[in-house]
Amino acid sequence: MKMLLLYVLSISLFLWINGSSSVGSDSESLLTCSKFHFEEKVLEKLVRLEHKMEINEEKMKIWENAFSAKLDRMDKAIKQTETFVKSIRESYLRELSRLNDSFLETVGTLKIQSNNETNIYGEEMHTMLESLSSKTTEFIVAEENRKSAHELMQYTIHQEQKRFNQSFDRFLENTKHTSNKTIHEMFGKQQKGLEASTKRDIVAFSAYRISSQTLSSNKNNFKFDNVWTNIGNGYNPSTGVFTAPLPGVYHFSVVGLSVNNKDLYLRLVHNNDFTSQNLVSGDGVKTGMIDVVFHLQRRDTVSVRGYSGHKMYSDSTFHGTYSGYLIA
């Protein structure tokens, strides 16, 4: 900076010497004066520039000092950070070592406890399996005893049922024989009484079945398709319907036998109206009977019906019969 100032002063002095030694007109004096003025102005500006540069140098020194102080603080902070990180790392390693030791100790403890509990549970399971095996053996023996008792009970029930069926068949056969004999005797007496009477007309019928019949509808009739007696021709064996040829008081009776262990429903129908009904149910063979007296008008109808699917059993021993006659 000082070298620049000396250089400027040398130039100014040189110019001033050259100007003072010159002799001439007023125009030259004016020119010399103007140059001197210009040089003063330049010199003034150079001085100002030097002053500003000095100020800037001072500011730069201040900034350098501040920047150096900040760098020192940053170095200090970096050293503190490194120290802190080192202490944290050492603390982490110590804690990690402690946790590993604690974990290994806990695992060892759990392993010991697990082994102890496994041994205890193993003994308990062994005891339970032995108890279960013993109870299973007892259950198998009890089941075999139950099967033997059940087979014996079934055999006993079968024998009792067979004996009961035989007794019931004999009773039923005797009952049917007695009933048929009684009906024949009754109708024989009535026939004789009716033949002896000359003051009134005779209407009577008695029909039977020699085979079983199953109804396919509630509106179907049981057809007693074989006839012992049909005085007055009121009974139609092909339809099972009695049509009154004369008005008067009539007596009707029905005897029906069910199939073994099946229900049988007998219903006496007067002009399509249900009147007397009889239901037999339960085990074995059952006998159902209907016995009624109707006051009929001429052409009134009377038939025997049941439920759809019900079967009336009969064979060559005449188990099913349907009879009726005019009383008065």
Side-chain angles (χ1 to χ4, degrees):
M1 190 68 183
K2 293 180 178 179
M3 294 297 294
L4 178 61
L5 182 58
L6 290 174
Y7 176 73
V8 172
L9 291 175
S10 300
I11 293 173
S12 299
L13 181 60
F14 176 76
L15 291 174
W16 178 75
I17 294 171
N18 290 333
S20 59
S21 60
S22 298
V23 180
S25 62
D26 294 335
S27 59
E28 290 179 354
S29 299
L30 290 175
L31 180 60
T32 301
C33 184
S34 298
K35 286 181 179 181
F36 180 77
H37 181 71
F38 172 76
E39 290 174 357
E40 287 183 348
K41 291 292 184 182
V42 170
L43 181 60
E44 182 181 357
K45 289 183 179 181
L46 289 174
V47 172
R48 291 179 181 176
L49 178 61
E50 183 182 6
H51 179 69
K52 288 183 179 180
M53 291 183 69
E54 290 176 352
I55 294 174
N56 290 332
E57 286 180 358
E58 292 178 358
K59 288 183 179 180
M60 286 295 293
K61 289 180 179 181
I62 295 172
W63 289 346
E64 287 177 0
N65 294 332
F67 183 73
S68 178
K70 289 182 179 180
L71 287 177
D72 293 338
R73 287 197 297 270
M74 287 182 66
D75 291 337
K76 186 178 180 180
I78 289 172
K79 290 180 180 179
Q80 291 177 350
T81 302
E82 291 176 351
T83 303
F84 176 74
V85 169
K86 184 178 179 180
S87 64
I88 291 296
R89 183 181 295 109
E90 291 175 353
S91 176
Y92 169 75
L93 292 175
R94 288 194 301 270
E95 187 66 21
L96 181 62
S97 177
R98 187 185 65 80
L99 289 175
N100 288 335
D101 295 339
S102 177
F103 176 75
L104 292 175
E105 183 181 356
T106 303
V107 169
T109 303
L110 290 176
K111 186 176 180 180
I112 294 172
Q113 291 178 353
S114 176
N115 292 333
N116 294 335
E117 292 179 356
T118 301
N119 294 331
I120 294 172
Y121 292 151
E123 293 176 358
E124 292 180 355
M125 287 295 294
H126 181 70
T127 304
M128 290 176 63
L129 289 175
E130 289 181 350
S131 176
L132 180 62
S133 177
S134 176
K135 291 186 180 297
T136 302
T137 304
E138 294 177 358
F139 175 78
I140 292 173
V141 173
E143 182 66 16
E144 292 177 353
N145 294 335
R146 186 192 67 79
K147 287 183 179 179
S148 300
H150 181 68
E151 291 175 356
L152 179 62
M153 183 176 64
Q154 283 186 333
Y155 176 76
T156 304
I157 292 174
H158 178 72
Q159 292 297 112
E160 289 295 326
Q161 185 176 7
K162 184 177 179 181
R163 183 183 63 79
F164 174 78
N165 289 338
Q166 291 175 352
S167 300
F168 184 78
D169 289 341
R170 288 194 298 270
F171 170 76
L172 187 62
E173 188 67 26
N174 294 333
T175 302
K176 289 189 290 185
H177 180 73
T178 303
S179 176
N180 289 334
K181 183 178 180 181
T182 302
I183 292 174
H184 283 300
E185 290 176 354
M186 180 181 66
F187 278 108
K189 292 179 181 179
Q190 291 177 351
Q191 185 75 24
K192 291 179 181 179
L194 291 174
E195 290 176 354
S197 176
T198 58
K199 294 184 179 180
R200 62 180 182 177
D201 294 320
I202 299 173
V203 179
F205 77 95
S206 184
Y208 61 94
R209 289 192 61 82
I210 60 174
S211 62
S212 301
Q213 180 186 359
T214 303
L215 297 182
S216 59
S217 172
N218 294 342
K219 296 183 180 180
N220 291 349
N221 298 320
F222 281 114
K223 298 177 183 179
F224 300 85
D225 48 2
N226 295 277
V227 177
W228 282 311
T229 303
N230 194 11
I231 302 173
N233 293 320
Y235 179 71
N236 185 348
S238 63
T239 61
V241 178
F242 171 77
T243 304
L246 298 174
V249 179
Y250 288 80
H251 175 264
F252 293 93
S253 64
V254 181
V255 177
L257 187 66
S258 71
V259 179
N260 187 33
N261 296 329
K262 300 293 183 180
D263 295 342
L264 177 63
Y265 200 7
L266 299 176
R267 301 190 290 181
L268 200 62
V269 183
H270 174 210
N271 291 337
N272 292 322
D273 293 329
F274 296 112
T275 59
S276 179
Q277 305 181 43
N278 184 279
L279 172 64
V280 289
S281 61
D283 298 332
V285 180
K286 290 80 61 179
T287 301
M289 300 182 66
I290 296 177
D291 192 76
V292 295
V293 174
F294 289 150
H295 183 270
L296 303 180
Q297 302 298 321
R298 187 171 179 270
R299 297 188 182 281
D300 280 0
T301 59
V302 180
S303 60
V304 182
R305 295 181 186 176
Y307 275 167
S308 175
H310 281 202
K311 184 176 183 179
M312 179 187 291
Y313 176 79
S314 189
D315 54 26
S316 59
T317 56
F318 321 127
H319 295 294
T321 61
Y322 176 33
S323 303
Y325 61 91
L326 176 64
I327 300 175

